[in-house]
Amino acid sequence: MLAHIKITHFAIVKSLELDLTKGMTTITGETGAGKSIAIDALGLCLGDRAEASMVRQGEEKAEITVLFTLENNLNAKRWLEDNELYDGNECILRRVITKEGRSRGFINGSPVPAAQLKTLGHLLINIHGQHAHHELMKPEYQLNMLDQYAGHVSLLNKTRSRYQAWRQADNSLKQLIKNSQQNEAQKQLIEYQIKELNDLALGEEEFAQLEEDHKRLSNSGDLVEYCQQAVSLLYENDDVNALQLLQYANNHIQQLGQLDPQLAPLSEMLNEAMIQVEEANHEIKNYLDCIDVDPAQIAFVEERFSKVMSMAKKHHVLADELYEHHQQLLAEYERLDCSDEKREQREQEVEELKQHFLEAAHKLTKSRQRYAKELNNKITESMQTLSMEKAVFDIQIESDGVSKISPLGIDTLCFKVSTNPGQPLHPIAKVASGGELSRISLAIQVITAQKVDTPSLIFDEVDVGISGPTAAVVGKMLRTLGESTQVLCVTHLPQVAGCGHNQLFVAKHTNSGKTETQMRALSTEERIEELARLLGGTQITDHTLANAKELLSAA
Protein backbone atom coordinates (compact mmCIF):
# COMPACT_ATOMS: atom_id res chain seq x y z
CA MET A 1 0.00 0.00 0.00
CA LEU A 2 1.15 3.55 -0.77
CA ALA A 3 1.62 5.12 2.68
CA HIS A 4 3.56 8.34 2.17
CA ILE A 5 4.73 10.63 -0.61
CA LYS A 6 7.08 13.60 -0.40
CA ILE A 7 7.71 15.93 -3.36
CA THR A 8 10.26 18.76 -3.46
CA HIS A 9 10.78 21.29 -6.28
CA PHE A 10 8.85 19.27 -8.84
CA ALA A 11 7.12 21.30 -11.60
CA ILE A 12 4.98 23.87 -9.76
CA VAL A 13 5.24 22.05 -6.43
CA LYS A 14 7.65 23.68 -4.01
CA SER A 15 7.13 21.22 -1.19
CA LEU A 16 4.42 18.63 -0.66
CA GLU A 17 4.13 15.81 1.85
CA LEU A 18 1.15 13.46 2.14
CA ASP A 19 0.17 10.52 4.36
CA LEU A 20 -2.20 8.13 2.62
CA THR A 21 -4.52 5.51 4.09
CA LYS A 22 -6.50 2.47 3.03
CA GLY A 23 -9.80 2.68 1.22
CA MET A 24 -10.80 5.08 -1.55
CA THR A 25 -9.18 8.50 -1.55
CA THR A 26 -10.48 11.09 -4.03
CA ILE A 27 -8.44 14.05 -5.27
CA THR A 28 -10.28 17.19 -6.40
CA GLY A 29 -9.46 20.80 -7.17
CA GLU A 30 -9.95 23.54 -9.69
CA THR A 31 -9.09 22.95 -13.33
CA GLY A 32 -5.37 23.57 -13.86
CA ALA A 33 -4.54 23.38 -10.16
CA GLY A 34 -2.38 20.28 -10.70
CA LYS A 35 -4.59 17.44 -9.49
CA SER A 36 -2.51 14.88 -11.39
CA ILE A 37 0.86 16.28 -10.34
CA ALA A 38 1.30 13.84 -7.44
CA ILE A 39 0.56 10.97 -9.82
CA ASP A 40 3.10 12.33 -12.32
CA ALA A 41 5.69 12.53 -9.54
CA LEU A 42 4.80 9.03 -8.41
CA GLY A 43 5.31 7.85 -12.00
CA LEU A 44 8.91 9.12 -11.85
CA CYS A 45 9.57 7.01 -8.75
CA LEU A 46 8.16 4.08 -10.70
CA GLY A 47 10.67 4.50 -13.52
CA ASP A 48 9.06 6.99 -15.93
CA ARG A 49 11.37 9.07 -18.12
CA ALA A 50 12.86 12.12 -16.40
CA GLU A 51 13.28 15.52 -18.08
CA ALA A 52 14.98 18.74 -17.04
CA SER A 53 11.69 20.65 -17.41
CA MET A 54 10.32 18.72 -14.42
CA VAL A 55 12.59 20.66 -12.03
CA ARG A 56 10.93 23.74 -10.54
CA GLN A 57 12.13 26.98 -12.10
CA GLY A 58 15.17 28.38 -10.29
CA GLU A 59 15.95 25.18 -8.34
CA GLU A 60 18.92 22.85 -8.70
CA LYS A 61 17.05 19.59 -8.46
CA ALA A 62 13.69 17.91 -7.85
CA GLU A 63 13.30 15.02 -5.44
CA ILE A 64 10.43 12.59 -4.98
CA THR A 65 10.27 9.98 -2.21
CA VAL A 66 7.48 7.45 -1.74
CA LEU A 67 6.94 4.88 0.98
CA PHE A 68 5.07 1.61 0.41
CA THR A 69 4.07 -0.92 3.07
CA LEU A 70 4.48 -4.55 2.02
CA GLU A 71 2.40 -6.54 4.53
CA ASN A 72 0.32 -8.38 1.92
CA ASN A 73 2.54 -7.94 -1.14
CA LEU A 74 4.42 -11.22 -1.44
CA ASN A 75 5.46 -10.59 -5.06
CA ALA A 76 7.18 -7.29 -4.21
CA LYS A 77 8.88 -8.87 -1.18
CA ARG A 78 10.16 -11.74 -3.27
CA TRP A 79 11.49 -9.37 -5.95
CA LEU A 80 13.30 -7.24 -3.36
CA GLU A 81 14.83 -10.34 -1.77
CA ASP A 82 15.95 -11.70 -5.13
CA ASN A 83 17.65 -8.38 -5.92
CA GLU A 84 19.15 -8.04 -2.40
CA LEU A 85 17.14 -4.86 -1.74
CA TYR A 86 14.73 -6.12 0.94
CA ASP A 87 14.68 -4.09 4.15
CA GLY A 88 11.67 -5.16 6.18
CA ASN A 89 7.96 -4.53 5.55
CA GLU A 90 8.51 -1.04 4.15
CA CYS A 91 9.93 -0.08 0.77
CA ILE A 92 11.22 3.43 0.02
CA LEU A 93 11.62 4.59 -3.58
CA ARG A 94 13.44 7.84 -4.33
CA ARG A 95 14.14 9.69 -7.57
CA VAL A 96 16.36 12.78 -7.92
CA ILE A 97 16.37 14.89 -11.12
CA THR A 98 18.86 17.70 -11.72
CA LYS A 99 18.14 20.84 -13.72
CA GLU A 100 20.43 19.41 -16.44
CA GLY A 101 18.06 16.47 -16.86
CA ARG A 102 20.19 13.81 -15.17
CA SER A 103 18.41 11.49 -12.76
CA ARG A 104 19.21 8.91 -10.11
CA GLY A 105 16.95 6.27 -8.63
CA PHE A 106 17.11 4.52 -5.25
CA ILE A 107 15.36 1.55 -3.68
CA ASN A 108 15.74 1.37 0.10
CA GLY A 109 18.77 3.64 -0.17
CA SER A 110 20.59 1.60 -2.82
CA PRO A 111 21.16 3.24 -6.24
CA VAL A 112 19.36 1.40 -9.06
CA PRO A 113 18.65 2.02 -12.78
CA ALA A 114 15.24 3.30 -13.87
CA ALA A 115 14.46 -0.14 -15.36
CA GLN A 116 14.52 -1.69 -11.87
CA LEU A 117 12.24 1.03 -10.55
CA LYS A 118 9.80 0.26 -13.36
CA THR A 119 9.91 -3.50 -12.73
CA LEU A 120 9.26 -3.09 -9.01
CA GLY A 121 6.64 -0.41 -9.67
CA HIS A 122 4.43 -2.89 -11.53
CA LEU A 123 4.33 -4.98 -8.33
CA LEU A 124 3.48 -2.03 -6.06
CA ILE A 125 0.83 0.03 -7.86
CA ASN A 126 -1.32 0.03 -10.99
CA ILE A 127 -2.11 3.36 -12.68
CA HIS A 128 -5.14 3.77 -14.95
CA GLY A 129 -4.78 6.96 -16.98
CA GLN A 130 -7.42 9.33 -18.30
CA HIS A 131 -6.58 8.37 -21.88
CA ALA A 132 -7.13 4.64 -21.37
CA HIS A 133 -10.29 4.73 -23.49
CA HIS A 134 -8.17 5.78 -26.47
CA GLU A 135 -5.78 2.91 -25.82
CA LEU A 136 -8.78 0.60 -25.63
CA MET A 137 -9.18 0.76 -29.41
CA LYS A 138 -5.74 -0.76 -30.01
CA PRO A 139 -5.68 -4.56 -30.54
CA GLU A 140 -2.43 -5.00 -28.60
CA TYR A 141 -3.91 -3.14 -25.61
CA GLN A 142 -7.03 -5.31 -25.76
CA LEU A 143 -4.92 -8.47 -25.78
CA ASN A 144 -2.83 -7.28 -22.84
CA MET A 145 -5.97 -6.39 -20.88
CA LEU A 146 -7.46 -9.85 -21.38
CA ASP A 147 -4.17 -11.53 -20.42
CA GLN A 148 -3.94 -9.33 -17.33
CA TYR A 149 -7.44 -10.36 -16.30
CA ALA A 150 -6.81 -14.05 -17.04
CA GLY A 151 -3.55 -14.05 -15.08
CA HIS A 152 -2.10 -16.95 -17.10
CA VAL A 153 1.51 -15.78 -16.69
CA SER A 154 3.02 -19.26 -16.89
CA LEU A 155 1.21 -19.98 -20.18
CA LEU A 156 2.41 -16.67 -21.62
CA ASN A 157 6.00 -17.31 -20.54
CA LYS A 158 5.97 -20.84 -21.95
CA THR A 159 4.52 -19.65 -25.27
CA ARG A 160 7.06 -16.82 -25.47
CA SER A 161 10.07 -19.02 -24.67
CA ARG A 162 8.99 -21.73 -27.15
CA TYR A 163 8.43 -19.09 -29.83
CA GLN A 164 11.94 -17.75 -29.30
CA ALA A 165 13.49 -21.24 -29.40
CA TRP A 166 11.66 -22.01 -32.65
CA ARG A 167 12.58 -18.68 -34.28
CA GLN A 168 16.23 -19.02 -33.34
CA ALA A 169 16.41 -22.50 -34.82
CA ASP A 170 14.51 -21.36 -37.93
CA ASN A 171 16.87 -18.40 -38.43
CA SER A 172 19.84 -20.71 -38.00
CA LEU A 173 18.44 -23.04 -40.67
CA LYS A 174 17.83 -20.15 -43.07
CA GLN A 175 21.38 -18.95 -42.52
CA LEU A 176 22.69 -22.46 -43.15
CA ILE A 177 20.86 -22.63 -46.47
CA LYS A 178 21.87 -19.10 -47.46
CA ASN A 179 25.53 -19.72 -46.74
CA SER A 180 25.73 -23.17 -48.33
CA GLN A 181 27.00 -21.91 -51.71
CA GLN A 182 29.08 -19.09 -50.25
CA ASN A 183 30.79 -21.49 -47.90
CA GLU A 184 31.60 -24.15 -50.48
CA ALA A 185 34.92 -22.61 -51.57
CA GLN A 186 35.95 -22.01 -47.98
CA LYS A 187 34.90 -25.53 -47.11
CA GLN A 188 37.14 -26.98 -49.85
CA LEU A 189 40.14 -25.00 -48.57
CA ILE A 190 39.52 -26.11 -44.99
CA GLU A 191 39.02 -29.68 -46.20
CA TYR A 192 42.48 -29.60 -47.85
CA GLN A 193 44.06 -28.13 -44.69
CA ILE A 194 42.39 -30.74 -42.52
CA LYS A 195 43.66 -33.53 -44.79
CA GLU A 196 47.25 -32.24 -44.35
CA LEU A 197 46.86 -32.15 -40.60
CA ASN A 198 45.14 -35.53 -40.53
CA ASP A 199 48.10 -37.00 -42.43
CA LEU A 200 50.48 -35.40 -39.94
CA ALA A 201 48.38 -36.85 -37.07
CA LEU A 202 49.96 -34.69 -34.40
CA GLY A 203 48.93 -35.73 -30.88
CA GLU A 204 47.70 -33.25 -28.30
CA GLU A 205 50.88 -33.33 -26.17
CA GLU A 206 53.19 -34.70 -28.84
CA PHE A 207 55.00 -31.51 -29.84
CA ALA A 208 56.21 -30.75 -26.30
CA GLN A 209 57.73 -34.25 -26.03
CA LEU A 210 59.04 -34.06 -29.58
CA GLU A 211 60.73 -30.73 -28.89
CA GLU A 212 62.36 -32.19 -25.78
CA ASP A 213 63.55 -35.34 -27.61
CA HIS A 214 64.86 -33.28 -30.53
CA LYS A 215 66.87 -31.05 -28.25
CA ARG A 216 68.34 -34.01 -26.36
CA LEU A 217 69.16 -36.18 -29.38
CA SER A 218 70.64 -33.36 -31.44
CA ASN A 219 73.04 -32.66 -28.56
CA SER A 220 73.77 -36.27 -27.63
CA GLY A 221 77.50 -35.95 -28.55
CA ASP A 222 77.95 -32.98 -26.25
CA LEU A 223 76.00 -34.74 -23.52
CA VAL A 224 78.30 -37.78 -23.67
CA GLU A 225 81.45 -35.65 -23.72
CA TYR A 226 80.48 -33.42 -20.83
CA CYS A 227 79.23 -36.36 -18.75
CA GLN A 228 82.55 -38.20 -19.22
CA GLN A 229 84.48 -35.10 -18.23
CA ALA A 230 82.33 -34.73 -15.13
CA VAL A 231 82.95 -38.38 -14.12
CA SER A 232 86.69 -37.89 -14.58
CA LEU A 233 86.77 -34.73 -12.49
CA LEU A 234 84.61 -36.20 -9.76
CA TYR A 235 86.04 -39.73 -9.44
CA GLU A 236 88.16 -41.37 -12.14
CA ASN A 237 91.01 -38.98 -12.96
CA ASP A 238 94.19 -40.69 -11.74
CA ASP A 239 96.09 -37.46 -11.21
CA VAL A 240 93.50 -35.55 -9.27
CA ASN A 241 89.73 -35.73 -8.74
CA ALA A 242 87.18 -34.21 -6.41
CA LEU A 243 86.78 -37.32 -4.27
CA GLN A 244 90.54 -37.63 -3.79
CA LEU A 245 90.86 -33.96 -2.79
CA LEU A 246 88.01 -34.29 -0.29
CA GLN A 247 89.76 -37.35 1.22
CA TYR A 248 93.02 -35.41 1.58
CA ALA A 249 91.19 -32.51 3.17
CA ASN A 250 89.35 -34.86 5.55
CA ASN A 251 92.63 -36.44 6.71
CA HIS A 252 94.00 -32.99 7.62
CA ILE A 253 90.78 -32.04 9.40
CA GLN A 254 90.89 -35.23 11.47
CA GLN A 255 94.44 -34.37 12.56
CA LEU A 256 93.37 -30.81 13.39
CA GLY A 257 90.47 -32.19 15.36
CA GLN A 258 92.87 -33.94 17.67
CA LEU A 259 94.50 -30.57 18.36
CA ASP A 260 91.25 -28.62 18.69
CA PRO A 261 87.95 -30.48 19.30
CA GLN A 262 85.95 -27.55 17.81
CA LEU A 263 87.13 -28.64 14.33
CA ALA A 264 86.02 -32.24 14.75
CA PRO A 265 82.46 -31.71 13.23
CA LEU A 266 84.06 -30.55 9.97
CA SER A 267 85.22 -34.09 9.32
CA GLU A 268 81.61 -35.29 9.33
CA MET A 269 80.67 -32.59 6.83
CA LEU A 270 83.44 -33.67 4.47
CA ASN A 271 82.36 -37.30 4.79
CA GLU A 272 78.87 -36.26 3.68
CA ALA A 273 80.35 -34.31 0.76
CA MET A 274 82.30 -37.40 -0.33
CA ILE A 275 79.10 -39.45 -0.21
CA GLN A 276 77.36 -36.82 -2.38
CA VAL A 277 80.24 -36.92 -4.89
CA GLU A 278 80.03 -40.70 -5.12
CA GLU A 279 76.24 -40.54 -5.63
CA ALA A 280 76.56 -37.85 -8.30
CA ASN A 281 79.20 -39.93 -10.06
CA HIS A 282 76.83 -42.92 -9.95
CA GLU A 283 73.90 -40.92 -11.38
CA ILE A 284 76.01 -39.50 -14.22
CA LYS A 285 77.23 -42.98 -15.17
CA ASN A 286 73.65 -44.26 -15.23
CA TYR A 287 72.65 -41.30 -17.45
CA LEU A 288 75.56 -42.08 -19.81
CA ASP A 289 74.37 -45.66 -20.13
CA CYS A 290 70.88 -44.41 -21.12
CA ILE A 291 71.94 -41.90 -23.75
CA ASP A 292 70.57 -43.18 -27.06
CA VAL A 293 72.77 -42.30 -29.99
CA ASP A 294 70.87 -44.52 -32.40
CA PRO A 295 71.17 -42.75 -35.78
CA ALA A 296 67.77 -44.08 -36.89
CA GLN A 297 66.04 -42.63 -33.83
CA ILE A 298 67.83 -39.31 -34.32
CA ALA A 299 66.79 -39.23 -37.97
CA PHE A 300 63.16 -40.02 -37.12
CA VAL A 301 62.89 -37.31 -34.46
CA GLU A 302 64.66 -34.79 -36.71
CA GLU A 303 62.31 -35.53 -39.60
CA ARG A 304 59.16 -35.45 -37.41
CA PHE A 305 60.21 -32.22 -35.76
CA SER A 306 60.96 -30.64 -39.12
CA LYS A 307 57.54 -31.65 -40.50
CA VAL A 308 55.72 -30.14 -37.53
CA MET A 309 57.67 -26.89 -37.77
CA SER A 310 57.07 -26.69 -41.52
CA MET A 311 53.33 -27.36 -41.14
CA ALA A 312 53.03 -24.75 -38.40
CA LYS A 313 54.74 -22.18 -40.59
CA LYS A 314 52.44 -23.06 -43.48
CA HIS A 315 49.35 -22.55 -41.33
CA HIS A 316 50.74 -19.35 -39.76
CA VAL A 317 50.60 -20.62 -36.20
CA LEU A 318 53.17 -21.49 -33.56
CA ALA A 319 54.21 -25.14 -33.50
CA ASP A 320 52.79 -25.66 -30.00
CA GLU A 321 49.43 -24.28 -31.26
CA LEU A 322 49.19 -26.59 -34.27
CA TYR A 323 47.10 -29.27 -32.56
CA GLU A 324 44.53 -26.70 -31.35
CA HIS A 325 44.47 -25.16 -34.83
CA HIS A 326 43.63 -28.60 -36.22
CA GLN A 327 40.69 -28.92 -33.82
CA GLN A 328 39.40 -25.46 -34.74
CA LEU A 329 39.48 -26.33 -38.43
CA LEU A 330 37.50 -29.49 -37.74
CA ALA A 331 34.88 -27.44 -35.87
CA GLU A 332 34.75 -24.84 -38.64
CA TYR A 333 34.32 -27.56 -41.24
CA GLU A 334 31.44 -29.01 -39.23
CA ARG A 335 29.78 -25.58 -39.09
CA LEU A 336 30.13 -25.16 -42.84
CA ASP A 337 28.93 -28.66 -43.56
CA CYS A 338 25.69 -28.21 -45.48
CA SER A 339 25.03 -31.79 -46.40
CA ASP A 340 21.49 -32.82 -47.27
CA GLU A 341 21.42 -35.09 -44.25
CA LYS A 342 22.38 -32.27 -41.90
CA ARG A 343 19.93 -29.89 -43.53
CA GLU A 344 17.10 -32.40 -43.18
CA GLN A 345 18.02 -32.93 -39.55
CA ARG A 346 17.88 -29.17 -38.92
CA GLU A 347 14.55 -28.89 -40.73
CA GLN A 348 13.13 -31.65 -38.55
CA GLU A 349 14.36 -29.90 -35.40
CA VAL A 350 12.77 -26.62 -36.53
CA GLU A 351 9.45 -28.33 -37.24
CA GLU A 352 9.47 -30.02 -33.83
CA LEU A 353 10.13 -26.70 -32.09
CA LYS A 354 7.32 -25.08 -34.07
CA GLN A 355 4.90 -27.79 -33.00
CA HIS A 356 5.96 -27.30 -29.37
CA PHE A 357 5.21 -23.58 -29.75
CA LEU A 358 1.82 -24.21 -31.37
CA GLU A 359 0.93 -26.64 -28.60
CA ALA A 360 1.58 -23.93 -25.97
CA ALA A 361 -0.17 -21.30 -28.12
CA HIS A 362 -3.33 -23.42 -28.41
CA LYS A 363 -3.43 -23.85 -24.62
CA LEU A 364 -3.09 -20.09 -24.30
CA THR A 365 -5.94 -19.62 -26.80
CA LYS A 366 -8.23 -21.89 -24.76
CA SER A 367 -7.42 -19.95 -21.61
CA ARG A 368 -8.18 -16.66 -23.36
CA GLN A 369 -11.47 -17.98 -24.71
CA ARG A 370 -12.51 -19.13 -21.24
CA TYR A 371 -11.73 -15.81 -19.55
CA ALA A 372 -13.14 -13.82 -22.50
CA LYS A 373 -16.57 -15.39 -21.86
CA GLU A 374 -16.31 -14.52 -18.18
CA LEU A 375 -15.22 -10.97 -18.98
CA ASN A 376 -17.98 -10.54 -21.59
CA ASN A 377 -20.66 -11.19 -18.98
CA LYS A 378 -19.11 -8.94 -16.36
CA ILE A 379 -18.47 -6.01 -18.72
CA THR A 380 -21.93 -6.29 -20.27
CA GLU A 381 -23.47 -6.21 -16.80
CA SER A 382 -21.29 -3.28 -15.77
CA MET A 383 -22.09 -1.32 -18.96
CA GLN A 384 -25.81 -1.80 -18.34
CA THR A 385 -25.31 -0.50 -14.82
CA LEU A 386 -23.59 2.57 -16.31
CA SER A 387 -26.75 3.73 -18.12
CA MET A 388 -26.20 1.58 -21.22
CA GLU A 389 -29.18 -0.69 -20.44
CA LYS A 390 -29.29 -2.60 -23.71
CA ALA A 391 -25.56 -2.74 -24.42
CA VAL A 392 -23.79 -6.03 -25.15
CA PHE A 393 -20.02 -6.53 -24.99
CA ASP A 394 -18.15 -9.33 -26.75
CA ILE A 395 -14.47 -10.23 -27.10
CA GLN A 396 -13.91 -12.03 -30.37
CA ILE A 397 -10.77 -14.13 -30.68
CA GLU A 398 -9.46 -15.27 -34.04
CA SER A 399 -6.68 -17.86 -34.05
CA ASP A 400 -4.32 -18.32 -36.97
CA GLY A 401 -1.31 -20.59 -36.62
CA VAL A 402 0.08 -19.54 -40.01
CA SER A 403 0.02 -15.77 -40.54
CA LYS A 404 -0.73 -14.42 -37.02
CA ILE A 405 2.16 -15.99 -35.14
CA SER A 406 3.94 -13.91 -32.48
CA PRO A 407 5.61 -14.40 -29.08
CA LEU A 408 2.14 -13.81 -27.59
CA GLY A 409 0.60 -16.74 -29.43
CA ILE A 410 -1.61 -17.04 -32.49
CA ASP A 411 -4.59 -14.91 -31.45
CA THR A 412 -6.00 -11.62 -32.68
CA LEU A 413 -8.51 -9.86 -30.45
CA CYS A 414 -11.32 -7.46 -31.22
CA PHE A 415 -13.49 -5.80 -28.57
CA LYS A 416 -16.96 -5.49 -30.05
CA VAL A 417 -20.07 -3.83 -28.73
CA SER A 418 -23.70 -3.30 -29.54
CA THR A 419 -25.18 -0.28 -27.78
CA ASN A 420 -28.77 -0.61 -29.03
CA PRO A 421 -31.16 -3.54 -29.41
CA GLY A 422 -31.11 -5.13 -32.86
CA GLN A 423 -27.80 -3.53 -33.69
CA PRO A 424 -25.06 -6.01 -34.71
CA LEU A 425 -21.77 -6.20 -32.85
CA HIS A 426 -19.09 -3.89 -34.25
CA PRO A 427 -15.59 -2.86 -33.08
CA ILE A 428 -15.98 -0.32 -30.27
CA ALA A 429 -14.06 2.34 -32.22
CA LYS A 430 -16.79 2.34 -34.90
CA VAL A 431 -19.87 2.16 -32.70
CA ALA A 432 -19.29 3.84 -29.35
CA SER A 433 -19.50 7.59 -28.83
CA GLY A 434 -16.99 9.43 -26.67
CA GLY A 435 -19.11 9.14 -23.54
CA GLU A 436 -19.95 5.51 -24.21
CA LEU A 437 -16.31 4.73 -24.83
CA SER A 438 -15.38 6.31 -21.50
CA ARG A 439 -17.98 4.20 -19.69
CA ILE A 440 -16.89 1.00 -21.43
CA SER A 441 -13.26 1.75 -20.59
CA LEU A 442 -14.10 2.48 -16.97
CA ALA A 443 -16.14 -0.69 -16.66
CA ILE A 444 -13.26 -2.74 -18.04
CA GLN A 445 -10.67 -1.03 -15.83
CA VAL A 446 -12.66 -1.54 -12.64
CA ILE A 447 -13.33 -5.20 -13.44
CA THR A 448 -9.75 -6.01 -14.43
CA ALA A 449 -8.41 -4.10 -11.40
CA GLN A 450 -10.13 -6.65 -9.16
CA LYS A 451 -7.90 -9.38 -10.61
CA VAL A 452 -4.61 -7.45 -10.27
CA ASP A 453 -2.30 -8.49 -7.43
CA THR A 454 -0.98 -4.96 -6.76
CA PRO A 455 -2.45 -3.58 -3.51
CA SER A 456 -2.80 0.03 -4.78
CA LEU A 457 -4.75 1.40 -7.74
CA ILE A 458 -4.80 4.91 -9.19
CA PHE A 459 -7.56 6.20 -11.47
CA ASP A 460 -6.53 9.47 -13.09
CA GLU A 461 -9.71 11.20 -14.37
CA VAL A 462 -11.02 7.98 -15.89
CA ASP A 463 -14.55 9.35 -15.41
CA VAL A 464 -14.18 11.93 -18.20
CA GLY A 465 -17.36 12.04 -20.30
CA ILE A 466 -19.55 10.68 -17.50
CA SER A 467 -22.15 12.64 -15.55
CA GLY A 468 -25.46 12.49 -13.70
CA PRO A 469 -26.75 9.17 -12.34
CA THR A 470 -23.97 7.32 -14.13
CA ALA A 471 -21.37 9.23 -12.13
CA ALA A 472 -23.01 8.07 -8.91
CA VAL A 473 -22.77 4.46 -10.07
CA VAL A 474 -19.09 4.97 -10.95
CA GLY A 475 -18.46 6.36 -7.49
CA LYS A 476 -20.08 3.36 -5.84
CA MET A 477 -18.09 0.97 -8.04
CA LEU A 478 -14.82 2.60 -7.04
CA ARG A 479 -15.80 2.73 -3.38
CA THR A 480 -16.63 -0.98 -3.42
CA LEU A 481 -13.22 -1.62 -4.98
CA GLY A 482 -11.69 0.53 -2.23
CA GLU A 483 -13.07 -1.78 0.45
CA SER A 484 -10.46 -4.39 -0.47
CA THR A 485 -7.82 -2.34 -2.31
CA GLN A 486 -6.29 1.08 -1.81
CA VAL A 487 -7.81 3.34 -4.50
CA LEU A 488 -6.67 6.87 -5.39
CA CYS A 489 -9.00 8.66 -7.79
CA VAL A 490 -8.45 12.04 -9.44
CA THR A 491 -11.91 13.30 -10.38
CA HIS A 492 -13.95 16.39 -11.24
CA LEU A 493 -17.31 14.75 -10.49
CA PRO A 494 -18.95 15.44 -7.11
CA GLN A 495 -20.80 12.10 -7.25
CA VAL A 496 -17.45 10.27 -7.45
CA ALA A 497 -15.62 12.56 -5.01
CA GLY A 498 -18.35 12.08 -2.41
CA CYS A 499 -17.92 8.31 -2.48
CA GLY A 500 -14.35 8.45 -1.23
CA HIS A 501 -13.45 7.35 2.29
CA ASN A 502 -11.05 10.30 2.28
CA GLN A 503 -10.65 13.39 0.11
CA LEU A 504 -7.65 15.51 -0.85
CA PHE A 505 -7.93 19.03 -2.20
CA VAL A 506 -5.46 20.58 -4.66
CA ALA A 507 -5.07 24.37 -4.80
CA LYS A 508 -2.80 26.64 -6.78
CA HIS A 509 -1.69 30.10 -5.67
CA THR A 510 0.95 32.68 -6.53
CA ASN A 511 3.59 33.74 -4.04
CA SER A 512 6.28 36.37 -4.86
CA GLY A 513 5.60 36.00 -8.55
CA LYS A 514 5.92 32.20 -8.46
CA THR A 515 3.10 29.68 -8.79
CA GLU A 516 2.82 26.93 -6.20
CA THR A 517 0.55 23.90 -5.90
CA GLN A 518 -0.46 22.47 -2.54
CA MET A 519 -2.49 19.43 -1.57
CA ARG A 520 -4.15 18.76 1.78
CA ALA A 521 -6.65 16.40 3.37
CA LEU A 522 -10.17 17.74 3.92
CA SER A 523 -12.25 17.47 7.04
CA THR A 524 -15.92 16.50 6.80
CA GLU A 525 -17.08 20.14 6.76
CA GLU A 526 -14.44 21.04 4.16
CA ARG A 527 -15.52 18.09 2.02
CA ILE A 528 -19.10 19.38 2.03
CA GLU A 529 -17.91 22.80 0.87
CA GLU A 530 -15.72 21.26 -1.88
CA LEU A 531 -18.55 19.01 -3.09
CA ALA A 532 -20.82 22.07 -3.16
CA ARG A 533 -18.24 23.86 -5.31
CA LEU A 534 -18.15 20.91 -7.69
CA LEU A 535 -21.96 20.89 -7.82
CA GLY A 536 -22.57 24.62 -8.16
CA GLY A 537 -19.37 26.14 -9.46
CA THR A 538 -18.53 29.58 -8.07
CA GLN A 539 -22.06 30.12 -6.70
CA ILE A 540 -22.36 28.09 -3.50
CA THR A 541 -25.85 28.34 -2.03
CA ASP A 542 -27.60 26.71 0.88
CA HIS A 543 -29.22 24.44 -1.65
CA THR A 544 -25.90 23.23 -3.11
CA LEU A 545 -24.51 22.78 0.42
CA ALA A 546 -27.54 20.68 1.31
CA ASN A 547 -27.06 18.62 -1.83
CA ALA A 548 -23.37 18.17 -1.03
CA LYS A 549 -24.15 17.05 2.52
CA GLU A 550 -26.73 14.60 1.20
CA LEU A 551 -24.24 13.30 -1.38
CA LEU A 552 -21.64 12.66 1.30
CA SER A 553 -24.16 11.03 3.64
CA ALA A 554 -25.42 8.75 0.88
CA ALA A 555 -21.89 7.48 0.23
Side-chain angles (χ1 to χ4, degrees), residues 404-467:
K404 299 296 183 181
I405 291 177
S406 79
L408 299 176
I410 57 175
D411 303 324
T412 302
L413 258 67
C414 183
F415 284 7
K416 292 189 174 184
V417 65
S418 171
T419 56
N420 297 301
Q423 199 177 49
L425 290 164
H426 288 291
I428 58 175
K430 295 182 178 180
V431 177
S433 65
E436 289 173 333
L437 196 59
S438 295
R439 279 178 276 173
I440 296 170
S441 173
L442 183 59
I444 293 173
Q445 290 183 68
V446 171
I447 290 168
T448 55
Q450 298 172 23
K451 294 291 292 285
V452 176
D453 291 333
T454 50
S456 300
L457 300 168
I458 292 180
F459 294 91
D460 185 10
E461 295 195 28
V462 295
D463 49 16
V464 173
I466 297 171
S467 60

Side-chain angles (χ1 to χ4, degrees), residues 365-377:
T365 298
K366 289 182 180 179
S367 179
R368 284 172 176 158
Q369 290 170 341
R370 171 193 166 193
Y371 283 100
K373 290 180 181 178
E374 183 179 313
L375 202 52
N376 288 340
N377 295 331

Side-chain angles (χ1 to χ4, degrees), residues 303-473:
E303 180 183 5
R304 182 70 173 163
F305 184 79
S306 178
K307 282 184 178 180
V308 173
M309 295 298 293
S310 177
M311 190 67 71
K313 184 177 180 181
K314 185 175 182 180
H315 286 259
H316 305 289
V317 296
L318 297 175
D320 57 355
E321 298 173 353
L322 190 60
Y323 176 83
E324 181 62 28
H325 177 66
H326 186 190
Q327 303 310 306
Q328 290 173 356
L329 286 175
L330 289 170
E332 179 70 7
Y333 183 83
E334 177 67 20
R335 188 183 70 81
L336 296 174
D337 184 14
C338 302
S339 64
D340 291 340
E341 181 180 351
K342 185 173 184 179
R343 178 172 169 176
E344 289 174 1
Q345 181 182 352
R346 290 279 185 89
E347 288 174 344
Q348 183 178 351
E349 291 174 358
V350 169
E351 184 59 29
E352 289 176 357
L353 289 171
K354 181 180 179 180
Q355 293 306 317
H356 288 162
F357 159 73
L358 290 174
E359 178 185 348
H362 285 305
K363 289 182 180 179
L364 183 58
T365 298
K366 289 182 180 179
S367 179
R368 284 172 176 158
Q369 290 170 341
R370 171 193 166 193
Y371 283 100
K373 290 180 181 178
E374 183 179 313
L375 202 52
N376 288 340
N377 295 331
K378 289 187 175 182
I379 294 175
T380 296
E381 181 181 349
S382 184
M383 287 167 58
Q384 292 173 354
T385 304
L386 293 171
S387 301
M388 299 175 70
E389 292 82 0
K390 304 299 181 180
V392 177
F393 183 84
D394 186 62
I395 301 174
Q396 294 193 357
I397 302 175
E398 293 184 2
S399 303
D400 185 346
V402 178
S403 60
K404 299 296 183 181
I405 291 177
S406 79
L408 299 176
I410 57 175
D411 303 324
T412 302
L413 258 67
C414 183
F415 284 7
K416 292 189 174 184
V417 65
S418 171
T419 56
N420 297 301
Q423 199 177 49
L425 290 164
H426 288 291
I428 58 175
K430 295 182 178 180
V431 177
S433 65
E436 289 173 333
L437 196 59
S438 295
R439 279 178 276 173
I440 296 170
S441 173
L442 183 59
I444 293 173
Q445 290 183 68
V446 171
I447 290 168
T448 55
Q450 298 172 23
K451 294 291 292 285
V452 176
D453 291 333
T454 50
S456 300
L457 300 168
I458 292 180
F459 294 91
D460 185 10
E461 295 195 28
V462 295
D463 49 16
V464 173
I466 297 171
S467 60
T470 306
V473 174

Side-chain angles (χ1 to χ4, degrees), residues 2-7 38 41-42 45-46 64-68 91-95 124:
L2 177 60
H4 185 81
I5 181 167
K6 181 179 180 182
I7 305 170
L42 179 61
C45 269
L46 301 177
I64 302 99
T65 304
V66 293
L67 169 65
F68 289 89
C91 177
I92 299 174
L93 307 184
R94 185 162 69 95
R95 190 85 178 271
L124 295 172

